[in-house]
Amino acid sequence: MTAPLIATTAVHSRVNLLGMTQPQLEQFFLDLGEKKFRAQQVMKWIHHGGVTDIGAMSNLGKALREKLLQIAEVRPPEIVSQHDSTDGTRKWAVRVAGGGLVEAVLIPEGTRATLCVSSQVGCSLDCSFCSTGKQGFMRDLTAAEIVGQVWLAIKSYDAFQSGNGRVVTNVVMMGMGEPLMNFDNVVAAMDLMLSDLGYGISKRRVTLSTSGVVPALDRLAELSEVSLAISLHAPNDALRSQLVPINRKYPIAELLRSARQYIDAQADSKRVVTVEYTLIAGVNDQPDQARELALLLKDFPCKINLIPFNSFPGSEYRRPSGNAVSRFWQVLVDAGYIVTVRTTRGDDIDAACGQLVGQVVDRTRRSERHRAAGQAREVEAG
Ligand code: SAH
Ligand code: SF4
């Protein structure tokens, strides 16, 4: 397990307006004895204009600005490093308050650009093939730190004024952490991603990926309309419980029931769940297992995304051969599924990024970068 970074950041006592949803910000202004339309003005400055200086929010009036400066701030997380790949992928290592580091990756492809966002520093769920899981859990990100990754991506292209839609068209919650273990902050951040006063991204183009925190997924169905990906990785409970320990608490049947309920709650009847399946050589990549998976998912509204395992130091797992991946893929395609294979992007900056972040965090994080670069690409396809 990687030791958390030691805090270098001062404790902030002022409220951070960056992560506040419209209703929260309206309440904030009402509590200050102000009109609630101030929330809209401030949100436009922050999320449309990229402005962090409250003093520059000219339509607020001088007295209000002075009052706000005493108690509030707009504080995005801090970029520690940024790397560009020759294929256009850009990655940021981001320092959050308290000293933890997370990563965000932007993967452009054609007219689309998908941002892979982290929700926690580390993760408590300890999936056997995941380097984040191996680090253990450090802390939840705040809503400001989650949506702040979108803010930073747009800022880094200097694109707030020129229309941010071109910089981030899609978001996948597939960086570090289990988003449903940080429920309220993730829901608030996704609200801001979708909101017109936030980033105005279509609900279909924001995807939450979960390893299967069923009660939280059941709750999410009542208040969210984003796309859903579930990390299945095995065709039966015996194997899944080894790979994804939370399966012992919420087995496959429960997860599929909850995911179906989530999809059924959406107004749009054409939506499907993305089933993620990390292929590990000799563990879950055999044709028999593909057939078992095809049977398991029969009648389940989904497309399948195969992710060849990205190895990391200390892991005994291996990535399957291209042939093994093709064989697995073919069985599912023959059974009538839409199946994509995730490819890794930004290979050339993995090393640089790994080296750089390796100076401050454990080298095992390299595979984290590797994985994140490949993360986003296939999920939105189709
Ligand atoms: N915690 C969430 C989201 C972050 S992980 C979840 O588990 O769904 C995003 C995806 O990357 C998951 O499908 C996860 O299983 C997969 N993943 C994790 N480690 C990996 C690795 N070493 N190689 C390939 N995929 C990996
Ligand atoms: Fe956590 Fe997801 Fe990694 Fe599992 S795969 S340890 S849930 S981040």
Side-chain angles (χ1 to χ4, degrees), residues 292-356:
E292 197 181 350
L293 182 64
L295 267 180
L296 176 71
L297 296 177
K298 197 167 161 285
D299 304 326
F300 183 68
C302 67
K303 57 186 177 185
I304 302 170
N305 188 206
L306 302 176
I307 316 168
F309 173 67
N310 286 311
S311 64
F312 54 90
S315 172
E316 72 273 25
Y317 292 139
R318 283 178 302 109
R319 174 187 278 239
S321 67
N323 277 346
V325 173
S326 299
R327 270 200 306 275
F328 200 92
W329 176 85
Q330 191 68 55
V331 171
L332 295 171
V333 169
D334 288 347
Y337 290 94
I338 295 171
V339 194
T340 49
V341 179
R342 190 176 296 170
T343 51
T344 303
R345 292 276 304 269
D347 264 347
D348 56 334
I349 55 171
D350 274 336
C353 205
Q355 277 155 8
L356 194 136

Side-chain angles (χ1 to χ4, degrees), residues 123 125-127 129-130 132-133 175-178 211 371:
C123 182
L125 296 186
D126 199 22
C127 299
F129 52 86
C130 175
T132 304
M176 293 172 74
E178 167 50 53
S211 59
R371 195 195 81 206

Side-chain angles (χ1 to χ4, degrees), residues 103 116-119 132 172-177 368 371-372 375:
E103 194 167 72
C116 182
V117 165
S118 295
S119 57
T132 304
V172 290
M173 302 294 304
M174 294 188 186
M176 293 172 74
E368 187 58 36
R371 195 195 81 206
Q375 225 54 274

Side-chain angles (χ1 to χ4, degrees), residues 14-147:
R14 280 179 287 176
V15 50
N16 191 356
L17 305 180
L18 176 64
M20 290 173 86
T21 61
Q22 186 178 352
Q24 287 168 341
L25 206 48
E26 284 176 349
Q27 191 56 51
F28 171 81
F29 279 110
L30 289 173
D31 291 346
L32 280 182
E34 298 286 338
K35 296 273 192 303
K36 68 178 188 180
F37 76 89
R38 296 296 187 193
Q40 299 188 19
Q41 292 177 318
V42 167
M43 287 179 79
K44 284 183 187 167
W45 282 111
I46 298 173
H47 305 295
H48 297 179
V51 172
T52 52
D53 177 5
I54 291 172
M57 299 181 179
S58 50
N59 58 357
L60 295 188
K62 198 154 178 277
L64 176 55
R65 273 180 276 161
E66 269 163 18
K67 184 151 77 169
L68 279 180
L69 280 165
Q70 301 300 314
I71 55 165
E73 63 184 340
V74 181
R75 181 168 30 89
E78 175 199 343
I79 294 181
V80 176
S81 67
Q82 174 178 308
H83 292 276
D84 284 315
S85 162
T86 49
D87 70 13
T89 301
R90 181 174 282 191
K91 303 183 193 194
W92 300 268
V94 172
R95 195 192 313 281
V96 296
L101 275 191
V102 293
E103 194 167 72
V105 182
L106 186 71
I107 300 125
E109 200 183 29
T111 54
R112 198 166 62 195
T114 303
L115 185 69
C116 182
V117 165
S118 295
S119 57
Q120 297 182 307
V121 189
C123 182
S124 62
L125 296 186
D126 199 22
C127 299
S128 64
F129 52 86
C130 175
S131 63
T132 304
K134 297 291 155 220
Q135 292 163 26
F137 174 69
M138 292 160 224
R139 75 163 172 88
D140 285 333
L141 297 188
T142 63
E145 289 162 345
I146 299 168
V147 80

